Structures are given as C-alpha cells and as structure tokens.
C-alpha cells in the first residue's frame, strides 16, 4: 500500500495516507495514484506524493526503483497508464502544455547540443518556450550568472567540463521561469567537487527563489536533515516526510539505516 | 522573478513563430557545423551526374519524354531525379538524426517543449526541408557549369515550391520510419530497403516508357512510387510547367506520412511505450 503525506508535514510512518489527487493547492506538483507497467513488470505501483513549494525534495530510490519511469511520465515522454499528475492545478493529461511551461527539467542523459555554444543552446530552449529573442538574451545572462558560468556564454558546449554542462542544463531549465524544477540523478558521472557545486547551486535556488525542486538520487550523502523525502522502492512509495523525522520514526541513527529498514521490512 | 508564472494559457501566433524560427535556426546551424554532411550531400549526386550519367549517356541516348519537347541528353534528364534523391537522402538522414537525438537525449528537449507535439514535429520537418533546399541549390550551382539549366532563370524560382513539397514528403517519410526504428543500427537497413529500392524503382534514372519496355511490372511499381511523383513534379517545375498528377500525389503522400509520423510519435500510442527504464 502506498503512503502519501504532504511533504513538510510530520511523517506518518507506514499508515495509509491520503492520495489527495484533487487537492491541487496543497503543493506545487501533485502525483496521485500513478501506476505503470512494462509488459508484466510493474514499474510504478500507486505512487502518490505532493511536492511543496519552496522546498528541496528528494526522490530517493535505488536503481530500478522507478525514478526514471516517473520522470518520463511527468515530462510526457511516456504514455500515461493510470493516475494523475498535476502542477498548479493543471492536469498533465488534459493540459500538457500548461504543465510543461511551468516545469523545468534536467535529464539524467546529457541533452546539450555539443556543437553549439552555451548561448545558442539557451536560445534554442528559449525559442522552444516561445520567448522573444530580447527577453531570452536577458534571461540567459541572468541564469548563467546564477550558476557562475556567465563568462562561458560564448564557448562551445563541447569545451565544458561535465559539471559545467550540468550547470548549463540547470540554467537552461530555469530560462522559462518554472514553478517546479525536476532533476533526474543530476550528479551521475560527476566528480566530488562538481557534485557538490551542482547541489549547492540548486539548494541556493530553492532558498532564494522559492522554487520547488524534485531531486532524484540514490546517493544518501546528497540529502540534508531537513529535506523532504519521497522514498521509492520497487515502484512503491515507502514513505514521505522530512529526512530527520523519518530517521526518528524508524529509530535509525543514519538515513541509510532508516532506508534499509523501510525497504526491507515492507518488501513482499 | 520566479513568481512570474505564465499569465494566460496557450501561446500566441507570435510565440508559435518564435518556436518555429528557433527550430529552423538550430537545424541550419547544425547543418553548417557538419561540413562532412554537406560535402557528402553534394558529392553523392555529382558522382551520379559526372560519372554515371557520362558513362550511361551513350547507352541511353537522347530522351524524348514530357515535359521536354526535344530529345534531351541523359544528364539533363537525370538532374531532377538527383535533386529528389538529395532530398530523399536528407529526409532519411534527418530521420537518422532523430533516432540519434532520441537516444542521446536531444530530441527530449524538443518533445518537452510546451507547444503541441504536432507543431513541434511539423516544425522539425520544415527545418529538415530547409536544409535539403540548401543542398539542392548548391547542387544546381555546380550543375549550371555542366550546362544543366532551366529554360530561363525563372526556372530556379519555379522549382522552389516543387522542392519544398517533395522535401516535406520525403522528410515526413523519414520521420515516419524513424518512429518505427528502435535502434540506431537498423538505419543501414533503411538504406538498403528504402533508399535504394525507391531510387531505382522510380523515374529518377529512366523514363517510365523505357521501364515499361523492360518490365511492365516494375513500371507499375514505379508509377505507384511516391518518389516518381516527386521527381516528375520537380522535372516539370524546372521546365516551368506543372504536372498536376504529380502535385496531387505528392500532396496526399505528404499528408499521409506526416499524419502517420505524428500519430507514431504520440506517447499515448507510439514511441512512448517503447522506452523502458
């Protein structure tokens, strides 16, 4: 059974939570009762959670937990099978355009055009969101400034390091000023320093801009005690709530320990 | 600044224009960056023109077939066919890049744009067609020195709408195929099973009458081949005439291929179901 609690609220353990599909105002992004199967394999099983505004939320799960499937559903790259996803009251299936224009996305795979410059990559994205050139240029300057890459605007994407590319992708995702930013394992393949930088930039965004972030990862050391967690295991939500609350609930000293208990005790 | 959410739902026509313009611009830029692609797009038809046509000229003899009113040398005859083949290759190459983009993630950036998907795919198709026009006109410049010229300079303008339409048709065909190709390596199969058969079973290299002499069955296939109609549309337009049958066939085929591609790319029906974690 799934649990769904409002992020930021006290963690309700493993009690059956409300799925709250219609309470759009509860948070920035609402995922309600989403299930997905590939053939006979159940990738997502009644997944429900709400992303709070101005919070750094972590979608925590091991590889194969269903994170990428969930991302491709939210980004409309995969056909919907069951459930609802809504953003600011706009239903993804009824109104995909309105959801996508409020959503910033950073994919796990690199999606910059390597032959184009940083600026050109941003301009292309701005055009895909219908932003006029002048506005796009002004915003490109601002978002690059945000990720400390203003001076690299004329460089080819190919010449950037892995961490810098990721930061450009984050800057690009902010160009259309989304309400929600989702990132699918954004630190994969980065060294420790670059990882820390990317993470710090996104945390600053949350703090300063009040944007809601969903950060998918399987790396426990990227999580802070006051982050909201959605723990996904084998396609099911095993718990939601603040990291420290979850640890307390599980009587665990570390998050890893809490995670292990939650995912093993509930399996099967 | 983040709080400035989009005020009104939907997009204005101006914003659609911005999006289309951005996609055309990016595709052109990419094409200009890939110099090898440009060179090979030019070399391919020139090999046919300079080598094949020169060697085959004596065997084929001067050809008298509409729209020509006097017998024309073989290289004049095959020039429109080569223009269409440039576009056929380009359409397939765009489809290759779509498969590649899809696997590498670039295509995702396009598909998560808030604009409707039919619009994004049509814009992408227009961009591919624009690139094919650049290739064809570069070919025509070289062909001019080979004495392949329209009756008057107006022929270069007259052929443009025909090239736009055939470019859209062949691009849409490529797009439809790309939605059906799961893996990149299958593109070699597309070359063997789509490009070459379409090319040889068309009027690009020999008129329908000549094909009929050799094999009525092949002539029948060629008369159904959409590439035949694209070639004839271009051939007539280059001679500043209109082939209405070809125009109708190319028009309908474009609509069918594009419609098919849009349906195939709809996540509710096509592509989406394939990607697994």
């Amino acid at each position: 059974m799934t649990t769904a609690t409002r992020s930021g609220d006290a963690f309700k353990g493993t009690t059956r939570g409300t799925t709250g599909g219609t309470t759009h105002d509860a948070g920035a992004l609402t995922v309600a009762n989403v299930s997905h199967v590939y053939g006979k394999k159940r990738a997502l099983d009644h997944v429900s959670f709400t992303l709070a505004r101005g919070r750094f939320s972590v979608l925590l799960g091991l590889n194969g937990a269903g994170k990428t499937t969930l991302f491709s559903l939210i980004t409309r790259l995969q056909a919907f099978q069951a459930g609802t996803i809504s953003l600011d009251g706009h239903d993804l299936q009824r109104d995909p355009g309105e959801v996508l224009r409020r959503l910033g996305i950073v994919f796990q795979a690199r999606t910059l055009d390597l032959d184009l410059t940083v600026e050109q990559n941003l301009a292309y994205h701005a055009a895909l969101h219908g932003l006029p050139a002048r506005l796009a240029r002004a915003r490109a300057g601002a978002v690059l400034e945000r990720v400390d890459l203003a001076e690299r605007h004329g460089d080819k994407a190919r010449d950037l390091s892995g961490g810098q590319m990721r930061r450009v992708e984050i800057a690009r995702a902010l160009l259309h000023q989304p309400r929600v930013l989702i990132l699918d394992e954004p630190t994969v393949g980065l060294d420790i320093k670059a990882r820390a930088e990317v993470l710090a930039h996104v945390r600053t965004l949350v703090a300063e801009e009040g944007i809601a972030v969903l950060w998918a990862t399987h790396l426990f050391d990227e999580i802070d005690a006051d982050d909201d967690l959605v723990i996904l295991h084998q396609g099911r939500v095993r718990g939601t709530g603040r990291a420290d609350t979850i640890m307390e609930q599980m009587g665990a000293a570390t998050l890893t320990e809490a995670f292990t208990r939650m995912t093993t005790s509930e399996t099967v | 600044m983040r709080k400035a959410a989009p005020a009104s739902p939907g997009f204005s026509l101006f914003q659609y224009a911005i999006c289309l313009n951005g996609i055309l611009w990016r595709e052109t830029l990419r094409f200009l960056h890939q110099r090898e692609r440009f060179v090979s797009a030019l070399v391919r038809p020139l090999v046919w023109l300079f080598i094949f046509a020169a060697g085959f000229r004596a065997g084929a003899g001067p050809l008298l077939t509409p729209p020509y009113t006097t017998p024309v040398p073989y290289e004049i005859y095959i020039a429109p066919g080569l223009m269409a083949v440039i576009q056929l290759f380009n359409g397939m190459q765009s489809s290759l890049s779509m498969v590649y983009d899809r696997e590498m993630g670039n295509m995702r950036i396009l598909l998560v744009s808030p604009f409707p998907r039919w619009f994004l795919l049509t814009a992408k198709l227009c961009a591919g067609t624009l690139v094919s026009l650049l290739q064809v006109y570069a070919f025509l410049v070289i062909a001019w020195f080979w004495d392949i010229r329209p009756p008057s300079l107006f022929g270069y303008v007259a052929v443009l709408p025909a090239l736009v339409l055939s470019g859209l048709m062949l691009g849409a065909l490529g797009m439809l195929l790309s939605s059906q190709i799961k893996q990149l390596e299958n593109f070699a199969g597309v070359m063997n099973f789509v490009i070459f058969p379409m090319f040889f079973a068309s009027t690009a290299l020999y008129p329908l009458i000549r094909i009929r002499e050799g094999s009525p069955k092949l002539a029948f296939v060629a008369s159904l081949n959409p590439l035949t109609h694209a070639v004839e549309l271009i051939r007539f337009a280059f001679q500043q005439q209109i082939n209405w049958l070809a125009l109708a066939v190319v028009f309908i085929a474009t609509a069918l291929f594009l419609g098919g591609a849009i349906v195939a790319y709809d996540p509710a029906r096509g592509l989406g179901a394939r990607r697994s974690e």
Side-chain angles (χ1 to χ4, degrees), chain A residues 1 16 62 98 108 115 118 123 185 207 213 218 235 237 260:
Chain A
M1 203 54 223
R16 292 180 180 189
L62 305 175
E98 293 304 314
Q108 191 175 336
D115 289 323
V118 169
E185 306 213 10
V213 163
H218 61 268
V237 173
T260 312

Side-chain angles (χ1 to χ4, degrees), chain A residues 38 66 69 75-76 78-79 97-98 101-102 107 110-111 113 120 127-131 172 174 177 179 209, chain B residues 1-3 5 8-11 15 18-19 26 29-30 104-106 109 113-115 117 267 272 275 277:
Chain A
Y38 297 114
T69 301
T75 53
R76 214 174 54 123
Q78 253 184 60
E98 293 304 314
R101 73 196 300 192
R102 289 168 174 80
F107 290 106
R110 299 256 184 275
T111 52
D113 211 321
Q120 289 168 335
L128 289 179
H129 280 264
L131 300 180
R172 178 176 64 179
L174 296 174
Q177 304 188 334
R179 297 298 197 89
E209 308 280 352
Chain B
M1 65 181 202
R2 291 308 113 135
K3 299 297 175 289
S8 59
F11 288 101
Q15 286 174 305
I18 289 172
C19 181
R26 184 251 187 185
L29 211 58
R30 254 168 72 98
M104 299 312 286
N106 288 341
I109 292 300
S113 156
F115 285 92
R117 200 157 281 188
R275 267 207 80 257
E277 191 162 330

Side-chain angles (χ1 to χ4, degrees), chain A residues 20-93:
Chain A
T22 50
T23 54
H24 296 307
D25 292 339
L29 180 79
T30 306
V31 174
N33 269 321
V34 170
S35 296
H36 199 83
V37 291
Y38 297 114
K40 283 186 179 156
K41 186 177 171 274
R42 193 162 267 278
L44 294 174
D45 188 4
H46 292 87
V47 168
S48 301
F49 61 87
T50 300
L51 215 60
R53 297 179 206 286
R55 295 280 297 161
F56 187 91
S57 304
V58 177
L59 180 64
L60 179 65
L62 305 175
N63 292 330
K67 301 192 295 291
T68 300
T69 301
L70 186 59
F71 266 79
S72 30
L73 290 174
I74 298 176
T75 53
R76 214 174 54 123
L77 290 172
Q78 253 184 60
F80 232 83
Q81 291 175 351
T84 55
I85 293 176
S86 60
L87 198 160
D88 272 359
H90 295 280
D91 183 85
L92 180 66
Q93 272 172 293

Side-chain angles (χ1 to χ4, degrees), chain A residues 89-265:
Chain A
H90 295 280
D91 183 85
L92 180 66
Q93 272 172 293
R94 259 201 325 269
D95 222 354
E98 293 304 314
V99 171
L100 289 173
R101 73 196 300 192
R102 289 168 174 80
L103 188 65
I105 305 156
V106 176
F107 290 106
Q108 191 175 336
R110 299 256 184 275
T111 52
L112 289 181
D113 211 321
L114 298 179
D115 289 323
L116 304 188
T117 65
V118 169
E119 231 166 17
Q120 289 168 335
N121 268 292
L122 295 182
Y124 177 55
H125 179 85
L128 289 179
H129 280 264
L131 300 180
R134 186 182 294 186
L135 180 62
R137 264 196 303 276
R139 283 198 195 166
V143 291
L144 282 178
E145 196 83 48
R146 270 230 144 273
V147 295
D148 283 339
L149 285 171
E151 75 286 359
R152 303 297 300 268
H153 65 96
D155 291 0
K156 285 228 165 129
R158 189 181 297 287
D159 299 330
L160 302 179
S161 70
Q164 289 168 335
M165 283 192 204
R166 258 291 110 96
R167 275 148 62 196
V168 172
E169 287 175 331
I170 291 168
R172 178 176 64 179
L174 296 174
L175 263 183
H176 56 285
Q177 304 188 334
R179 297 298 197 89
V180 178
L181 177 66
I182 63 175
L183 308 96
D184 188 8
E185 306 213 10
T187 57
V188 162
L190 301 183
D191 62 35
I192 296 175
K193 185 167 168 284
R195 261 179 65 188
E197 280 169 3
V198 168
L199 188 60
H201 279 293
V202 175
R203 286 192 182 282
T204 312
L205 265 176
V206 175
E208 291 178 4
E209 308 280 352
I211 195 170
V213 163
L214 182 64
W215 176 284
T217 190
H218 61 268
L219 301 167
F220 291 85
D221 59 352
E222 292 180 350
I223 303 166
D224 280 357
D226 65 342
D227 288 342
D228 285 340
L229 292 191
V230 176
I231 294 174
L232 192 65
H233 187 67
Q234 295 177 345
R236 289 163 62 186
V237 173
R238 299 305 168 108
T240 57
R242 274 174 56 129
D244 46 9
T245 321
I246 288 182
M247 277 156 52
E248 206 176 299
Q249 293 268 343
M250 299 307 292
T254 64
L255 192 60
T256 318
E257 197 186 326
F259 179 84
T260 312
R261 280 188 202 165
M262 291 172 89
T263 52
T264 47
S265 64

